[in-house]
């Protein structure tokens, strides 16, 4: 790869990651499940909001103040994935033994399926090996967008090895979700991202949809992954012995929606975004949070507004009765894959942790080899010890916290 190609790729990674965090920060206060106190803003605005939300559940109820540009679980787990991938071949162990268990202490707006899986990982137990059958059933029924929203870093760091990319996305997915709607939705989204990152000239109107339709056999094939025999046995048991049929059924559902999107985009200016989003079940409480639904919605918006990314991001960030933060985050990632950082307005560089993710992108793209180390589990006892110690800290003293180290 030439220095110019590397610079472009680095810029696209930064643009995607920043765009994803910006979308999350813009859309989070608009989501009806955000627990926001006060009215939601109805007209799209480019600037970030300062707002308050109810937090803590029934045991620790309090008001959580969200400052301008702060993001939710989407951005947190996106960064957790990027940080894990710096561990090279040890990335998965780092992700499930350290990142996910520690995330429970700082999560904001996290999904139920992800939090349940993280609690099991805190005891060193994969969710498909729980001692409680109900927890296993809930894991394999989890088809939400909690996977697709966090896999963007895999695309950039395995860009030229599709097999490795899909294997990594699959492994990342099964860490918290077991249903094909979550896992295949994430793989499908990864294929779209990869196509856009490698695209050198202008993206044609509807081109991404056509590509995904034509290459259905690639993204829909169940990946060949070693050392998942125990997971697959549990998946088959939960699916009455035929998990692959459930996988194929999900792939066909995606294809049907892609064909519908092709027809809708062919209408040109007559295509109503709200009508198309309704057809995708974007506003249906039963389906709007599914991994497949969110991936399709984000790909549709990115296809329609590829030449007007700011307009497209604002439209989905302020959707009513939708999973606005996750959709906007995934749309922001796609726009970054197309345009790099050039589409980002100055206001959006104020997003939380921008300097941190800029350094994270730079260090990740150097592909620096790191000595393989055994990853120590962040357990329930670590959590208790951390909470006890942090209460006694004086100003100037330090403490170690999981993936953040000191």
């Amino acid at each position: 790869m030439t220095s110019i190609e590397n610079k472009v790729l680095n810029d696209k990674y930064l643009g995607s990651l920043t765009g994803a965090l910006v979308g999350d920060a813009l859309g989070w206060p608009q989501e009806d499940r955000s627990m926001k106190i006060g009215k939601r803003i109805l007209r799209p605005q480019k600037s970030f909001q300062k707002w308050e939300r109810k937090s803590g559940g029934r045991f620790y109820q309090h008001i959580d103040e969200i400052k301008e540009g702060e993001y939710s679980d989407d951005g947190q787990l996106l960064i957790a994935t990027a940080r894990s991938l710096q561990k090279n071949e040890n990335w998965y162990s780092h992700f499930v033994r350290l990142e996910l268990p520690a995330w429970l202490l700082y999560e904001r707006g996290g999904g139920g399926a992800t939090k349940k899986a993280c609690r099991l990982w805190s005891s060193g137990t994969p969710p498909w090996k729980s001692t409680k059958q109900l927890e296993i059933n809930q894991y394999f029924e989890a088809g939400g967008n909690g996977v697709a929203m966090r896999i963007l870093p895999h695309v950039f760091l395995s860009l030229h090895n599709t097999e490795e990319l899909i294997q990594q996305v699959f492994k990342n997915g099964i860490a918290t979700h077991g249903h094909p709607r979550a896992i295949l939705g994430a793989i499908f989204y990864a294929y779209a991202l990869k196509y856009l990152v490698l695209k050198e000239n202008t993206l044609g109107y509807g081109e991404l949809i056509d590509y995904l339709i034509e290459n259905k056999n690639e993204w829909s094939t169940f990946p060949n992954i070693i050392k998942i025999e125990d997971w697959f046995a549990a998946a088959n048991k939960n699916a009455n012995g035929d998990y692959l049929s459930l996988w194929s059924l999900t792939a066909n559902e995606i294809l049907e929606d892609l064909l519908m999107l092709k027809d809708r985009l062919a209408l040109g200016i007559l295509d109503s975004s709200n009508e198309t989003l309704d057809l995708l079940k974007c506003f249906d409480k039963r389906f709007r949070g599914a991994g497949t639904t969110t991936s399709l919605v984000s790909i549709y918006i990115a296809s329609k507004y590829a030449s007007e990314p700011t307009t497209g991001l604002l439209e989905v960030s302020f959707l009513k009765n939708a999973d606005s933060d996750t959709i906007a985050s995934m749309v922001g990632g796609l726009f970054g894959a197309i345009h790099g950082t050039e589409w980002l307005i100055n206001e959006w560089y104020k997003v939380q942790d921008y300097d941190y993710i800029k350094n994270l992108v730079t260090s990740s793209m150097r592909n620096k080899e790191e000595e393989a180390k055994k990853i120590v589990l962040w357990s329930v006892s670590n959590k208790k010890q951390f909470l006890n110690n942090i209460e006694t800290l004086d100003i100037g003293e330090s403490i170690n916290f999981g993936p953040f180290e000191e």
Side-chain angles (χ1 to χ4, degrees), residues 155-213:
V155 176
F156 285 91
L157 299 180
S158 297
L159 187 62
H160 300 291
N161 188 334
T162 302
E163 184 177 6
E164 181 182 353
L165 168 61
I166 301 312
Q167 289 179 354
Q168 287 190 4
V169 171
F170 184 94
K171 289 179 68 176
N172 187 316
I174 66 173
T176 56
H177 292 65
H179 198 283
R181 285 199 178 95
I183 305 167
L184 185 52
I187 291 174
F188 172 65
Y189 179 67
Y191 261 84
L193 270 170
K194 179 183 176 182
Y195 182 77
L196 296 178
V197 173
L198 293 174
K199 180 77 177 172
E200 296 180 356
N201 50 3
T202 303
L203 183 72
Y205 194 75
E207 178 183 342
L208 180 58
I209 303 294
D210 289 337
Y211 166 78
L212 292 168
I213 291 172

Side-chain angles (χ1 to χ4, degrees), residues 96 100-101 103-104 111-128 135 139 142 150 173-178:
V96 298
L100 292 183
W103 172 73
L104 289 171
T114 304
K115 288 192 283 190
K116 287 176 185 176
C118 289
R119 293 187 190 103
L120 285 165
W121 283 115
S122 297
S123 63
T125 305
W128 59 92
E135 290 182 334
Y139 164 75
R150 69 183 187 233
I174 66 173
T176 56
H177 292 65

